[in-house]
Structure formats: structure tokens, C-alpha cells
């Protein structure tokens, strides 16, 4: 029975399904067979992988090289009976591990949140008895009852249907309900048209039915996608990859310095206790213990700012990825445009008509040659409007404010509105020609077809709407102005399509055919040919007011914007021109043309790489081709963001570095694959999210540039003291005080630093570039060396003037704290003067400074703190001497900024 995992269930008969699954339609499975299959196939949940429990995940967070170093340091201090030091070191370890655990837990929750409780309850037939069970207990071969309002709990092969209709929007994103029946279908039938299948997570909209469970858990359609999405939930972002590399280098430095320290100590005959203390001090000095906490806060602050700009981020790491985006693959409809269609032009019976009115307000006039006209005078015009009304699943309604709204697809809403302008009554027409069956629109076949009953003696009618080139291929003739059949002028019609599309109109072709008498099922075979062309309807989808401006911002920021659409190439080019997409965004200028899916099919991967760099508009593109375009951009080193809201977009969303889903998407699969949700569905919100993401990267860089000089200075102070055989100027607990308390109190305020005004007028950081430029590295080294000279010099000066070691160490600590405070002001901008940023543009900075100063005063003057941290009260003069060292560092950084300002402001790509 293992072969059932790859069966095309829709293409075989009910009898074959029951034979393969060894089940009984009248009795179902017995309890023993259920238990046997549950062991074989597992529970009906989206993942059968055993996930570690929270406690196991918590302990796994200790598996980090720098945590190992800190734990080893804590053990050493315990052996030396320095219990206070041991407690503080292990407290720092526990804090870091807890923060890592919380961040990972949120990621796990995000990865699985879309798939929880999607299977619900199930009513099944087992051992001849109808019973209700949790959906997760279903196994292949179970007989499941379906009824209106219920959720489909697994992938089912329908074998009995009574007016059964299923809302498949959680899977496909399509707003219309799909009719279900029991007949077998051709093997190549795409998922959205498998009317004898009901898929897990979808809902029963109407009727009743019975189905056989053919796939559960990760073997179901939604489970397969969910598993793929979950398995890639923890892909490292550009920053996390760099930090991982940084940690590896830091570990090697610590081990190397520790080896040197031990060697020097042994050579000089230093006591093992003193050597051990020196090694611990060195290790604790070099590790930036506050880094995980501050990174988490900076990312969280970025998420909050994005939410205020209508962009909801689910995974914190996505904020940093957004800031690194270098290419956006965006849909046209609903993202760049309003997705509120209005029919502007109709071509029917070789005549051109125009329509007045806007939006879905069913008020307006149809004009011919500039004069108002009535469809009764133009039979083919009336039939064109009727076709748009009947080959349609949407509804036009009025809300509580008396505004007209569309329930369903906006394109179909425009067709409905046009038909009402043509004096057609929607309910009357639909009752007169009752729908029997339909083939939903799909991204592969690019058309929709409906079958309608006529009177008892006449065969049913078929109406088709879709892409002009696709519909025309199915037509053998056309209607003239009085609905008489005439030869099909394919070239003339396509020329009209090109003319309309060049005006930015979205063009749909409509056709009519005749079904088989007595047959109430519609399949692809009946509409492959033999249709009569009725006409064209061209509708305008207004560009969103801020889209062109957002595209311009992206271009100025060095971000390539690619329009990937299923629309006509000429329409896509016209809209792209209005948006300003055709300009230099990469190494090539954007060509004013659209590359079609047909062209992409004939290109190798290498040719697509060149094509995607050179062009910005891709039309009539399939989901697989969209994935190829994303892969091509990534192969060139781009960080790619892509939009999508349907089932077919899920893998592309998952393939991209950051997937973006519209807030109105009803497809759970697409929402689960995305890292960003646009609550207003606007492209401008993508640009805003990237802007905020860049702000996050800038703040992360500011923090690293600010905090690492402290670690460099601490490491140098300890290393020089060891080499010179001096007393340690700082003890491990004092170093931890600097790294955890003051560094965190001051460093956290960087998370709330406002963005630089030119953040979207400069090119972003290249994904492969290091966190720190050469210039910033030089700055950090300068500050670190000056900290070494200042802290070590003052430590020796205090000792030589009668101060105790505790007092001298307190003064050395003060040097670091005061430098951290004033250097923080310098780091508010990496290129500009601290005075040009605005002293009070970030009030958190001043709150952090006052808190850090207060904490340092407690460190120096409170007896309990003196006992814990081996500090001692110092005279006011020592503070002034420490402040003088800080002033020297301030001047040095100011001069360095002045020298490098122009270079730092141009980030290399």
C-alpha cells in the first residue's frame, strides 16, 4: 500500500481507490486496521518530525562556542573559590541562554502558527458506525462525511456529492467556491480544477458529500507545502551569517590569547591561580556579552516601526533581511495598482464602445462613436456584457455606508458593473441561464469557463473568458454586430488587443460555445475548439498614488524592481512606464519591453540570469518561471523579496529571501510561506519596510561600532598587563559589569535611534560585504588603543599616588564608562557630526546616560556593590582625570570622522 503515496487519485475511479486503500464504502475501516495505519502513516498533522520539548530546546542554547568559554571561566573561578565572580559569570550565561531560548521559541511559534488547528474535527464511518473524532486521528482509507460549514480534515477523494461546494481559498486563494463531484478526471488536471478532490484546511461552503481519505499530514497538499516552509524557517540572514563568522573568529582569538597568557605565565613562574585569573579576565574582556540582548531589542523595535507603516513582520530576523534587499519581484495587480477595476472599452462585433463611471458604482453610460447607446441596438455588445456577467462568480453588494463593494475577484467585479451599465439584471440573467458547472481560472491555462442550462430542448451554453491569445486559439469564428457568425479575423483582433493593452488596459476576451445535450459536466475537452468569439473588454486598474514614488525611492536606493505578472505584455509595459520602472537599476538599463513566459521557457539558466538583470517586466509568467527568475537573481548575489498571495506562489515566497503576502490573501499556505504581511496591500509599504529594515541594519552597525572598541580596549588592557607582569587593572566581575550593565543600559538606547535622512538615497550594503567597513574598523581600533592607554595609564597613576588597587580599578572602570557615554553620542551617526543629528531626537539616549551614570555611582560608592565588584570610593579628581581621557577620545574620533566622512557615506557594493 506504500504506492498510494504517489497516486493521482483524481484520475482513477472510486472502485480503484477503494481497492488500493483496502477500505469499505459501507463500513469504513475497523479499529484494528486504524491502529495499524496510524503506526504506519503517523498522525494527521503537518509534521511528523519529533520536535524537541521546550526544556531540551533551552539546554540546546548552551551549545554555543562563546557560552562554552564563559562557562569554562565560571568553573575556573569556582575552583579558585571566587564565588561572587562565579555567580556573576554564570548569571550572565543564564541571561544569554534565556534570551536565545526566547528568540528561538518565537521563531518556532511563527513557523508553525499557520498550521495549528487547521484540521479540526472529523465525522467518519468506522466499523459501520458514524462517529466524530479529532482530525489528527484520521488515516488513509477512512470514510469522511462532509457538510456545509465544516472543515475538510484531510485530502479526500469524493465518491458521493449532493450539491457539494468547497471554499478552497485557504489553499488556492481563489474567492469562488468549487463544485465537487465523483467522476474521475484526466491525469493532467491541475489542482485547482480537481473537482473530485477536497483538500485539507479547505471549508465546505454548501451541500453534503462523502470522501475517502487519500493523504494525511505531510503527505497532504497543504502538509507538503507546510513541511517545506517549516523546514526552512531558520535560514540564516546576511547579518546572522556574519555574526556566526565573527563568533568563530572571536573564539580563535580567545583561544590564541589564552595560550599566549598561559605560556607567558609558565615562563615567568607565575602561580597557577594568577594565570587562571588572567585567562578568565581575558576571555570575559573579549566576549561582548550584551550583544544578544541588544540585537533582540533592536530587531523588536524595527518590527514595531514596520507595523506602524502597515508592514507586519512575523519573524524578527526578517527585519534585517528587508534592510539587505537588493531586488524586488512584485506583482502588478493589487500591489502596484489599486485592484479596483473599471471597464473602459469594449470591442464587440468589430465595433468599439467606451464606458463612463468609476469603480464599482454601477452608474455610467456606454458610448459608440461619442454618442450614448443601448445594448438592445447592438446585439453582440449585449452578448459580450452577458458573457462577462455569467462567466463570473463574484457579487456586487453595498456596505453599511451605501458604498458598492465586490465580493470576489475585482476583475469580475468590473465585468458585473459594466453589465449593469448595459441595463442587464444580474439576478434575472443568472436565473434564466442557470449555471451547471464551471472550470475556475488558473495561472496555467489562463481562462475560466462556465456551463449554463437553457430550455429543455436546447443544449447548454458555454461561456469562456480569459487571456485573448488563449481564448482565440479555441475559436473558429466570431459574431458580427447583429450576432451573425462571420470568419474569425485573428490578426485584426490581436491588433485591437495590442492597442488596448498599450493604453494600460487589462484586456479579457470572451467567447461562447455549445455543450452536449443532457450533460451537466464541463471539462477541458469541450472547449479546446469550436467556440465563437464575442468580444473584448478592456479595464483600467488605477496605479496606487504612492507606487511611482516608492519605485523611485527603490531605484535611488540601488534596489532593482521587477514586475512579474500574468497580464498581457503590452498592458504590463504601459503600467511599468507610468511607474518609471524602465530606468537603470543594475548593471544594465531596463529595456522598454516585457519578456513573456513563452520566451523564458526557451532559455537556459545562464541566459535567464542575463535576461533578469537586463529586463524589468515579465508577463504571462507561470509560478515555476517566477521561481526561476528569483533563483537567477539570487545566483547573482541579490537578496530578493517577492510578493504573492495564492497557493501557486507559496514555493516562490519560500524560495525568496523574504516573502511578502497581501493582507487580504485568504490562502493559508501563502501566508505561512511569507515573512512579511502588507496590511494595506501597497507597494509603498514594501519600500517603507525596506527603509525601516535599513534603519535596523544601521542601528545594529552603530551598536557594534560602539560596543566592540570596549572589548578591544578591555582585551588590550588585560593582555598588556599580562605581558608587562602588572597587576590586572580590571577583574572579571568588573569587566562583566562593563559588558552587561553599562553596555546594555547605554546600548539598548541605540534601538530607538531615528533613521538617517538619506537612508533611501544611498545604495544598500552588499549581502557579501562585511559588517564593518575598513574605515569603521580603523575607528574602533583607534578608540580601543586610546582606551588601553587611558585606562592603563590612570590605573598606574592612581597606584603611584597612593590609591589602593580597588580604587585604581574603579578609576579604570570609570574611564570605560565615561568613554562609552560620550562615544555613544558620536555613534548616533557613523558619518555626520553628533551635533547635526539633533541632541534630543532620541530621548532614550539621555535616559540611558543618566541611568548608566547612576549605576556607576552605585558601583563606586555603595558598600554592597564594593564588596560584590571589588570596587572602592574615589575622589572627585579621579573622575576629572577619567573625563580628560574621554575628551581626548572624543577629539580623535571627530578628526577621524572628518577625514573619512565622504568614504564612509558611500557604501561599497
Amino acid at each position: 500500500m506504500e504506492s498510494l503515496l504517489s497516486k493521482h487519485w483524481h484520475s482513477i475511479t472510486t472502485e480503484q481507490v477503494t481497492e488500493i486503500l483496502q477500505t469499505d464504502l459501507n463500513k469504513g475501516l475497523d479499529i484494528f486496521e486504524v491502529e495499524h495505519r496510524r503506526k504506519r502513516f503517523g498522525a494527521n498533522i503537518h509534521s511528523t518530525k519529533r520536535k524537541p520539548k521546550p526544556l531540551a530546546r533551552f539546554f540546546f542554547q548552551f551549545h554555543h562556542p562563546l557560552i562554552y568559554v564563559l562557562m569554562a571561566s565560571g568553573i575556573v573561578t569556582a575552583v579558585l573559590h571566587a564565588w561572587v565572580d562565579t555567580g556573576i559569570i554564570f548569571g550572565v550565561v543564564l541571561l544569554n541562554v534565556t534570551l536565545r531560548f526566547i528568540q528561538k521559541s518565537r521563531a518556532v511559534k511563527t513557523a508553525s502558527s499557520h498550521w495549528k488547528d487547521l484540521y479540526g474535527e472529523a465525522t467518519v464511518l468506522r466499523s459501520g458506525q458514524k462517529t466524530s473524532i479529532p482530525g489528527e486521528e484520521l488515516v488513509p482509507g477512512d470514510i469522511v462525511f462532509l457538510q456545509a460549514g465544516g472543515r475538510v480534515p484531510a485530502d479526500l477523494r469524493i465518491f458521493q456529492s449532493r450539491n457539494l461546494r468547497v471554499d478552497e481559498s485557504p489553499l488556492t486563494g481563489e474567492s469562488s467556491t468549487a463544485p465537487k463531484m465523483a467522476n474521475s478526471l484526466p491525469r493532467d488536471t491541475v489542482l485547482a480544477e480537481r473537482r473530485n478532490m477536497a483538500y485539507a484546511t479547505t471549508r465546505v461552503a454548501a451541500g453534503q458529500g462523502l470522501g475517502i481519505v487519500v493523504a494525511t499530514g505531510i503527505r497532504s497538499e497543504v502538509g507538503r507545502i507546510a513541511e517545506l516552509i517549516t523546514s526552512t524557517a531558520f535560514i540564516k540572514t546576511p547579518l546572522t551569517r556574519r555574526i556566526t563568522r565573527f563568533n568563530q573568529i572571536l573564539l580563535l582569538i580567545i583561544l590564541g590569547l589564552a595560550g599566549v597568557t598561559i605560556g607567558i605565565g609558565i615562563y615567568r613562574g607565575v602561580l597557577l591561580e594568577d594565570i587562571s585569573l588572567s585567562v578568565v579576565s581575558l576571555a570575559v574582556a573579549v566576549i561582548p556579552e550584551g550583544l544578544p540582548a541588544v540585537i533582540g531589542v533592536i530587531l523588536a523595535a524595527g518590527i514595531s516601526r514596520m507595523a506602524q507603516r502597515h508592514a507586519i513582520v512575523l519573524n524578527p530576523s526578517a527585519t534585517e533581511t528587508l534592510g539587505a534587499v537588493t531586488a524586488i519581484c512584485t506583482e502588478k495587480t493589487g500591489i502596484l495598482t489599486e485592484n479596483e477595476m473599471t471597464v473602459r472599452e469594449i470591442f464587440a462585433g468589430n465595433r468599439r464602445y467606451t464606458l463612463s463611471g468609476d469603480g464599482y458604482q454601477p452608474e455610467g453610460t456606454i458610448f459608440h462613436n461619442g454618442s450614448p447607446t443601448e445594448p438592445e441596438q447592438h446585439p453582440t455588445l449585449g452578448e459580450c456584457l452577458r458573457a462577462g456577467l455569467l462567466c463570473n462568480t463574484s457579487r456586487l453588494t453595498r456596505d453599511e455606508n451605501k458604498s458598492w463593494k465586490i465580493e470576489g475577484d475585482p476583475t469580475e467585479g468590473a465585468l458585473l458593473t459594466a453589465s449593469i451599465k448595459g441595463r442587464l439584471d444580474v439576478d434575472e440573467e443568472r436565473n434564466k441561464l442557470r449555471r451547471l458547472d464551471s472550470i475556475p481560472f488558473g495561472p496555467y491555462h489562463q481562462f475560466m469557463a462556465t456551463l449554463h442550462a437553457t430550455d429543455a430542448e436546447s443544449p447548454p451554453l458555454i461561456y469562456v473568458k480569459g487571456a485573448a491569445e488563449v481564448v482565440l486559439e479555441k475559436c473558429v469564428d466570431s459574431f458580427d454586430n447583429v450576432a451573425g457568425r462571420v470568419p474569425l479575423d485573428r490578426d485584426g483582433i490581436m491588433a485591437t488587443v495590442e492597442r488596448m493593452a498599450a493604453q494600460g488596459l487589462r484586456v479579457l476576451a470572451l467567447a461562447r460555445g455549445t455543450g452536449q445535450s443532457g450533460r451537466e459536466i464541463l471539462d477541458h475537452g469541450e472547449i479546446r475548439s469550436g467556440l465563437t468569439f464575442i468580444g473584448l473588454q478592456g479595464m483600467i486598474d488605477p496605479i496606487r498614488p504612492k507606487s511611482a514614488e516608492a519605485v523611485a525611492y527603490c531605484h535611488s536606493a540601488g534596489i532593482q524592481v521587477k514586475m512579474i505578472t500574468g497580464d498581457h505584455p503590452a498592458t504590463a509595459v504601459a503600467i511599468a512606464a507610468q511607474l518609471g520602472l524602465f530606468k537603470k537599476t543594475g548593471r544594465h538599463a531596463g529595456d522598454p519591453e516585457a519578456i513573456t513566459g513563452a520566451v523564458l521557457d526557451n532559455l537556459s539558466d545562464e541566459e535567464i540570469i542575463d535576461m533578469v538583470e537586463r529586463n524589468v517586466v515579465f508577463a504571462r509568467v507561470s509560478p515555476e518561471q517566477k521561481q526561476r527568475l528569483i533563483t537567477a537573481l539570487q545566483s547573482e548575489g541579490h537578496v530578493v523579496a517577492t510578493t504573492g498571495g495564492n497557493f501557486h506562489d507559496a514555493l516562490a515566497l519560500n524560495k525568496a529571501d523574504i516573502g511578502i503576502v497581501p493582507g487580504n490573501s485568504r490562502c493559508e499556505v501563502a501566508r505561512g510561506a511569507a515573512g512579511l504581511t502588507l496590511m494595506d496591500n501597497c507597494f509603498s509599504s514594501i519600500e517603507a519596510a525596506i527603509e525601516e529594515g535599513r534603519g535596523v541594519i544601521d542601528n545594529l552597525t552603530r551598536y557594534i561600532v560602539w560596543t566592540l572598541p570596549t572589548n578591544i580596549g578591555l582585551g588590550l588592557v588585560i593582555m598588556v598587563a599580562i605581558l608587562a607582569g602588572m597587576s590586572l587593572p580590571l577583574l572579571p566581575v568588573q569587566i562583566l559589569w562593563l559588558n552587561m550593565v553599562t553596555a546594555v543600559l547605554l546600548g539598548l538606547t541605540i534601538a530607538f535611534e531615528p533613521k538617517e535622512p538619506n537612508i533611501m538615497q544611498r545604495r544598500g550594503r552588499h549581502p557579501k560585504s562585511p559588517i564593518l567597513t575598513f574605515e569603521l574598523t580603523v575607528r574602533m581600533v583607534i578608540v580601543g588603543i586610546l582606551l588601553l592607554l587611558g585606562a592603563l595609564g590612570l590605573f598606574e597613576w592612581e597606584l603611584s599616588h597612593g590609591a589602593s588597587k580597588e580604587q585604581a580599578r574603579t578609576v579604570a572602570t570609570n574611564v570605560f564608562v565615561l568613554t562609552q557615554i560620550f562615544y555613544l553620542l558620536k555613534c548616533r551617526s557613523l558619518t555626520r557630526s553628533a551635533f547635526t543629528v539633533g541632541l534630543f531626537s532620541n530621548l532614550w539616549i539621555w535616559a540611558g546616560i543618566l541611568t548608566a551614570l547612576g549605576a556607576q555611582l552605585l558601583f563606586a560608592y555603595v558598600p554592597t556593590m564594593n564588596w560584590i565588584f571589588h570596587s572602592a570610593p574615589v575622589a572627585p579628581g579621579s573622575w576629572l582625570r577619567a573625563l580628560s581621557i574621554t575628551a581626548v577620545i572624543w577629539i580623535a574620533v571627530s578628526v577621524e570622522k572628518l577625514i573619512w566622512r565622504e568614504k564612509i557615506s558611500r557604501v561599497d557594493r
Side-chain angles (χ1 to χ4, degrees):
M1 199 166 66
E2 295 298 330
S3 62
L4 64 86
L5 301 182
S6 58
K7 277 288 176 187
H8 296 269
W9 300 105
H10 63 279
S11 65
I12 59 178
T13 65
T14 301
E15 291 75 17
Q16 289 173 312
V17 174
T18 55
E19 182 180 351
I20 293 170
L21 292 172
Q22 300 172 19
T23 190
D24 188 323
L25 298 183
N26 298 315
K27 295 182 179 180
L29 301 174
D30 61 46
I31 190 63
F32 300 105
E33 184 62 24
V34 168
E35 290 300 322
H36 173 70
R37 296 189 185 194
R38 189 174 297 148
K39 291 177 182 178
R40 172 181 286 191
F41 299 108
N44 180 34
I45 55 178
H46 87 269
S47 178
T48 56
K49 295 180 181 178
R50 185 178 179 182
K51 292 183 172 63
K53 294 182 178 180
L55 186 61
R57 284 208 314 271
F58 177 79
F59 282 112
F60 185 75
Q61 304 314 311
F62 286 89
H63 181 55
H64 189 281
L66 300 184
I67 294 294
Y68 290 150
V69 172
L70 286 175
M71 290 173 66
S73 301
I75 292 170
V76 169
T77 56
V79 171
L80 298 176
H81 301 291
W83 301 115
V84 174
D85 295 30
T86 303
I88 293 175
I89 291 174
F90 277 106
V92 169
V93 168
L94 187 61
L95 178 60
N96 273 281
V97 166
T98 302
L99 289 171
R100 283 166 51 85
F101 171 72
I102 292 172
Q103 291 173 358
K104 291 292 184 182
S105 296
R106 286 176 177 171
V108 170
K109 183 179 180 181
T110 297
S112 59
S113 61
H114 286 281
W115 317 106
K116 289 176 61 178
D117 196 32
L118 286 183
Y119 299 100
E121 293 285 318
T123 302
V124 299
L125 182 68
R126 285 182 176 173
S127 301
Q129 299 294 318
K130 186 176 180 180
T131 183
S132 181
I133 63 171
E136 65 182 36
E137 295 182 9
L138 286 173
V139 296
D142 263 326
I143 307 300
V144 176
F145 294 84
L146 297 175
Q147 60 182 1
R151 179 174 278 164
V152 179
D155 287 2
L156 308 178
R157 171 63 160 86
I158 304 299
F159 68 87
Q160 190 177 114
S161 171
R162 184 177 180 183
N163 300 321
L164 181 65
R165 299 187 72 88
V166 176
D167 175 8
E168 296 183 332
S169 60
L171 186 64
T172 66
E174 296 294 334
S175 58
S176 58
T177 59
K180 297 297 176 181
M181 50 74 162
N183 305 60
S184 58
L185 299 169
R187 183 165 177 165
D188 60 354
T189 305
V190 297
L191 182 141
E193 297 171 13
R194 294 176 186 171
R195 285 166 293 167
N196 57 9
M197 297 291 296
Y199 293 101
T201 76
T202 60
R203 288 188 176 276
V204 181
Q208 298 175 335
L210 285 168
I212 308 169
V213 175
V214 295
T216 58
I218 60 173
R219 299 178 184 88
S220 67
E221 287 292 334
V222 72
R224 181 175 58 83
I225 301 295
E227 192 67 9
L228 176 61
I229 293 166
T230 303
S231 67
T232 57
F234 304 121
I235 292 177
K236 290 186 176 180
T237 65
L239 179 72
T240 55
R241 285 194 291 266
R242 295 189 194 106
I243 290 178
T244 298
R245 178 62 179 160
F246 169 75
N247 288 337
Q248 293 169 346
I249 294 172
L250 191 59
L251 178 62
L252 294 176
I253 291 173
I254 292 170
L255 293 176
L257 293 177
V260 171
T261 302
I262 293 171
I264 292 173
I266 293 174
Y267 175 77
R268 289 180 174 170
V270 178
L271 293 175
L272 181 60
E273 180 179 341
D274 294 336
I275 294 176
S276 300
L277 185 61
S278 298
V279 170
V280 169
S281 299
L282 191 61
V284 172
V286 176
I287 296 174
E289 289 87 358
L291 188 62
V294 176
I295 286 179
V297 173
I298 290 175
L299 293 177
I303 290 174
S304 177
R305 286 194 292 265
M306 288 181 188
Q308 294 171 14
R309 302 185 71 176
H310 310 294
I312 306 300
V313 176
L314 298 177
N315 193 330
S317 62
T319 58
E320 183 264 327
T321 305
L322 280 163
V325 164
T326 59
I328 304 172
C329 296
T330 178
E331 297 172 314
K332 175 180 71 69
T333 305
I335 300 294
L336 293 167
T337 62
E338 295 277 10
N339 202 20
E340 187 170 297
M341 307 286 189
T342 303
V343 174
R344 283 280 181 250
E345 182 177 336
I346 296 176
F347 176 81
N350 206 31
R351 293 185 177 183
R352 176 176 178 266
Y353 305 88
T354 58
L355 290 82
S356 65
D358 291 303
Y360 300 127
Q361 187 84 8
E363 297 176 359
T365 305
I366 300 178
F367 297 87
H368 176 56
N369 291 333
S371 301
T373 189
E374 297 293 335
E376 291 85 355
Q377 304 169 12
H378 307 270
T380 304
L381 168 63
E383 188 63 10
C384 188
L385 293 170
R386 184 174 292 105
L389 184 158
L390 294 173
C391 191
N392 197 312
T393 60
S394 298
R395 294 177 63 246
L396 204 57
T397 61
R398 301 185 80 169
D399 60 19
E400 62 276 5
N401 299 319
K402 303 300 181 181
S403 298
W404 288 92
K405 301 292 182 183
I406 188 68
E407 291 181 3
D409 181 72
T411 300
E412 294 187 338
L415 296 175
L416 280 180
T417 304
S419 70
I420 297 173
K421 292 176 183 178
R423 308 294 187 267
L424 294 181
D425 186 291
V426 175
D427 293 334
E428 181 181 329
E429 294 291 335
R430 287 179 171 175
N431 290 331
K432 186 192 307 180
L433 294 173
R434 179 175 55 87
R435 181 183 302 168
L436 301 173
D437 197 9
S438 66
I439 297 175
F441 183 88
Y444 297 97
H445 55 254
Q446 296 187 330
F447 70 85
M448 175 185 176
T450 52
L451 182 69
H452 299 268
T454 54
D455 56 63
E457 298 179 357
S458 302
L461 290 178
I462 299 172
Y463 285 102
V464 178
K465 74 168 188 285
E469 61 271 26
V470 174
V471 174
L472 285 174
E473 283 297 319
K474 302 176 182 298
C475 295
V476 294
D477 54 17
S478 65
F479 288 125
D480 62 14
N481 185 49
V482 293
R485 284 183 168 80
V486 295
L488 181 69
D489 181 10
R490 193 182 310 275
D491 292 340
I493 293 171
M494 287 307 300
T496 302
V497 171
E498 293 292 336
R499 177 187 60 77
M500 294 170 70
Q503 299 171 21
L505 298 179
R506 184 178 189 184
V507 183
L508 287 180
L510 299 108
R512 194 181 80 183
T514 304
Q516 299 179 27
S517 296
R519 181 175 168 84
E520 297 188 358
I521 300 298
L522 183 63
D523 59 38
H524 284 264
E526 293 183 75
I527 52 175
R528 286 202 176 99
S529 63
L531 301 181
T532 299
F533 174 75
I534 303 173
L536 306 170
Q537 293 200 40
M539 56 200 72
I540 189 169
D541 184 9
I543 293 174
R544 291 186 183 274
K546 295 182 180 179
S547 289
E549 182 183 10
V551 168
Y553 276 134
C554 288
H555 286 167
S556 67
I559 299 170
Q560 297 189 28
V561 181
K562 312 289 183 182
M563 179 195 290
I564 301 178
T565 178
D567 222 333
H568 190 280
T571 304
V573 167
I575 297 297
Q578 295 177 47
L579 289 166
L581 281 178
F582 297 114
K583 69 175 291 185
K584 188 176 177 63
T585 58
R587 65 170 182 259
H588 301 292
D591 296 330
E593 63 174 338
I595 305 302
T596 64
V599 172
L600 294 176
D601 272 340
N602 296 317
L603 297 179
S604 66
D605 291 342
E606 291 74 20
E607 290 171 324
I608 281 189
I609 290 173
D610 179 68
M611 185 71 74
V612 77
E613 280 283 356
R614 193 158 42 85
N615 293 271
V616 297
V617 178
F618 301 86
R620 299 294 197 227
V621 173
S622 71
E624 286 78 8
Q625 292 163 344
K626 186 175 182 179
Q627 284 181 257
R628 288 188 72 191
L629 292 171
I630 293 170
T631 302
L633 285 167
Q634 289 173 326
S635 69
E636 287 290 280
H638 285 287
V639 176
V640 182
T642 191
T643 64
N646 293 321
F647 170 78
H648 301 288
D649 296 316
L651 292 179
L653 290 168
N654 199 55
K655 175 65 180 174
D657 297 278
I658 179 76
I660 302 171
V661 67
N664 61 357
S665 172
R666 301 171 67 191
C667 181
E668 293 290 344
V669 178
R671 295 175 73 87
L676 181 74
T677 300
L678 299 179
M679 299 312 295
D680 59 356
N681 308 324
C682 295
F683 182 82
S684 58
S685 294
I686 300 177
E687 181 272 328
I690 292 174
E691 182 180 330
E692 295 298 340
R694 286 192 172 190
V696 166
I697 290 179
D698 281 357
N699 284 344
L700 288 169
T701 305
R702 288 185 184 106
Y703 177 75
I704 291 170
V705 171
W706 172 75
T707 194
L708 287 189
T710 299
N711 297 100
I712 293 171
L714 289 169
L716 289 174
V717 165
I718 301 301
M719 196 66 203
V720 169
I722 292 170
L723 291 173
M726 300 166 51
S727 298
L728 292 177
L730 294 162
L731 297 175
V733 289
Q734 294 167 343
I735 295 170
L736 284 172
W737 168 264
L738 290 171
N739 280 344
M740 284 301 297
V741 181
T742 57
V744 170
L745 288 174
L746 294 170
L748 286 177
T749 64
I750 294 177
F752 308 101
E753 192 63 32
K755 300 181 296 294
E756 299 260 1
N758 67 337
I759 197 167
M760 293 298 282
Q761 278 75 53
R762 57 176 168 83
R763 292 189 177 276
R765 185 189 304 277
H766 193 279
K768 294 183 180 179
S769 66
I771 298 176
L772 304 170
T773 62
F774 172 75
E775 295 85 355
L776 294 178
T777 303
V778 168
R779 181 186 302 173
M780 292 193 308
V781 171
I782 290 172
V783 175
I785 291 174
L786 291 176
L787 277 171
L788 160 69
L789 297 175
L792 197 61
L794 275 186
F795 175 76
E796 287 297 313
W797 193 93
E798 294 289 340
L799 289 178
S800 65
H801 286 74
S804 65
K805 285 185 179 181
E806 287 77 10
Q807 289 175 316
R809 284 170 176 154
T810 301
V811 172
T813 306
N814 289 343
V815 170
F816 277 93
V817 171
L818 292 175
T819 298
Q820 284 177 319
I821 289 172
F822 284 92
Y823 184 48
L824 177 66
L825 298 175
K826 279 291 184 185
C827 288
R828 292 188 64 196
S829 174
L830 298 178
T831 57
R832 297 183 295 152
S833 165
F835 297 105
T836 64
V837 178
L839 289 177
F840 301 105
S841 59
N842 181 5
L843 294 177
W844 288 103
I845 289 280
W846 299 105
I849 288 173
L850 292 175
T851 305
L853 281 174
Q856 190 61 21
L857 289 172
L858 295 176
F859 173 90
Y861 296 107
V862 174
T864 303
M865 298 290 280
N866 296 156
W867 175 74
I868 294 173
F869 292 101
H870 311 292
S871 57
V874 293
S878 66
W879 286 91
L880 293 175
R881 287 187 286 275
L883 196 59
S884 66
I885 300 297
T886 299
V888 171
I889 294 175
W890 174 280
I891 295 169
V893 173
S894 298
V895 172
E896 183 270 342
K897 266 193 178 184
L898 190 62
I899 294 172
W900 293 107
R901 185 166 295 160
E902 285 304 315
K903 274 192 137 183
I904 297 176
S905 64
R906 295 194 301 269
V907 179
D908 289 334
R909 288 203 68 195

